Each structure stands twice: as C-alpha cells, then as structure tokens.
Amino acid sequence: MLSCQRLLTLFCAVALFAMLGLPRPAPAAEKDTAPETRKVAGILIDKKPDWALVKPDGEDEPVKYLIGKGADKKLLAALKTTYDACRVQLTYKTDGDSRQLVGIRRQVLRASGTVTGTVVKVYNDFWVEVKPRNGLSDAYAPGVGNFKNKEFMAKLKGLKKGDSVTISFNTDFERHRILALRINAPKPK
C-alpha cells in the first residue's frame, strides 16, 4: 500500500507541474476584441479631417481609413504634409469592419526618371495612376510648367484606362510632377 501511495503522490506532482507550465488559453471574446495592427502601401486618393481614402497595392478599389477624434499628434502632423496623388505606407488597426488609421508616411519609390506603363485611371481630371509592366502603380500630376498648358491638360484628361503612356517626372515636396507625357501607339493584336 505504501508503494501505491508513493506512486499516486508522484503522479499528482507531475500532473500539477505539467498543468502549471502550460499557457492558459484566452477566451474567444478576448481574442476578438484585441485590434490587430497591419501595414499596407498604396496611393492616397483623397483625405478629409476624419478619414483618408487609399487604393492599396493589388486592390481594384480604394479603401477608407478612419481618423479618430483623439488621433496621435504625430499622425495628424504627417497627414498635413501628405498630399493626394502620392504613394503612402499606412499602419492601421481593425475595428470590426472599419480600419482606424494609426500612422502614415510618404513612400517615394523613385524621385525622378521615366516610366512606361498602362493607365489605370485619371482622377479629378488632374492626375493619373500608371501601372508599369514590372512594379507598383504610382501617381503623376502636372507641374507648374504644364498645369496651365491647355494642350497638355487636354491630353492628360483624355487618357483612358488601358492606354500605354511614357512619363518623364521629378518629385517635389507634394508628389510626382509630369515633365513630359507621351501616349504610345497601341500594340498590334
């Protein structure tokens, strides 16, 4: 009987240590309420004091990111110096179906150069989104030199989805500025 008690005591001690060493599972409600922080990059389409509209890379439609009343001062300062028609990298938290903006910063892939690609869309008759064959979509807007040029603006406004274009550009403190715009001949089928 004594050996049976020792064996039972040993078994209980091992079981107790095993249970204490295991992490306790959190209830399902706790898992669902904790907001998950995520990052995404894309093109800033529009912004207002309480939201920003961004077209994330790989998505066909823009997504609205909400800016809360008690937003961080760094976020609000970054939003003031981030303009429509530029690439951005966002940090956000999910809150049910909505996305709460936590951070934003400009993302300049190339400061100047030439890009050839396909027109995705012309926004507000002012800037164009272009998808190069290899790489991410980016936005290009007229600069001071061609903004008042009626012929240039008519060419920009006349672009259609699927047009092949070549754009020479440089980047200022706001966005990429078009120096030259060429509409390429369609490829023969």
Side-chain angles (χ1 to χ4, degrees):
M1 174 114 170
L2 190 58
S3 66
C4 187
Q5 285 179 334
R6 286 183 186 160
L7 189 58
L8 183 59
T9 305
L10 180 63
F11 176 78
C12 288
V14 170
L16 180 63
F17 283 119
M19 286 192 310
L20 291 176
L22 293 176
R24 291 182 16 198
E30 286 182 34
K31 289 180 183 177
D32 292 341
T33 59
E36 183 180 340
T37 301
R38 298 180 183 178
K39 291 189 178 201
V40 68
I43 298 173
L44 179 63
I45 305 294
D46 194 8
K47 67 178 181 174
K48 299 290 182 206
D50 56 348
W51 55 263
L53 192 63
V54 174
K55 183 177 176 201
D57 294 334
E59 298 288 331
D60 292 332
E61 295 298 322
V63 176
K64 188 177 277 191
Y65 296 85
L66 303 176
I67 302 163
K69 296 266 188 229
D72 183 57
K73 289 180 182 180
K74 288 181 185 179
L75 171 63
L76 297 175
L79 279 165
K80 286 181 182 178
T81 59
T82 307
Y83 300 91
D84 301 353
C86 69
R87 286 195 58 80
V88 292
Q89 185 172 21
L90 304 177
T91 305
Y92 69 94
K93 291 184 178 183
T94 55
D95 184 14
D97 289 339
S98 68
R99 298 178 184 192
Q100 298 290 324
L101 191 60
V102 176
I104 187 169
R105 70 177 182 90
R106 257 181 90 187
Q107 183 184 46
V108 179
L109 300 177
R110 283 179 38 203
S112 64
T114 302
V115 64
T116 299
T118 304
V119 172
V120 176
K121 186 174 180 178
V122 176
Y123 293 88
N124 304 324
D125 290 336
F126 176 69
W127 60 275
V128 61
E129 178 184 351
V130 176
K131 170 77 170 102
R133 187 179 325 162
N134 297 318
L136 300 170
S137 290
D138 214 335
Y140 305 88
V144 175
N146 51 22
F147 179 69
K148 294 184 179 182
N149 181 324
K150 290 182 182 185
E151 184 179 315
F152 174 85
M153 291 305 291
K155 184 191 291 188
L156 178 67
K157 291 175 186 179
L159 292 174
K160 293 177 182 51
K161 181 178 180 174
D163 285 347
S164 174
V165 294
T166 299
I167 295 175
S168 296
F169 69 95
N170 65 11
T171 305
D172 62 16
F173 68 97
E174 288 183 358
R175 56 183 67 96
H176 293 315
R177 298 296 184 174
I178 301 171
L179 302 174
L181 169 64
R182 183 180 76 225
I183 302 173
N184 303 318
K187 292 181 182 179
K189 293 183 179 181

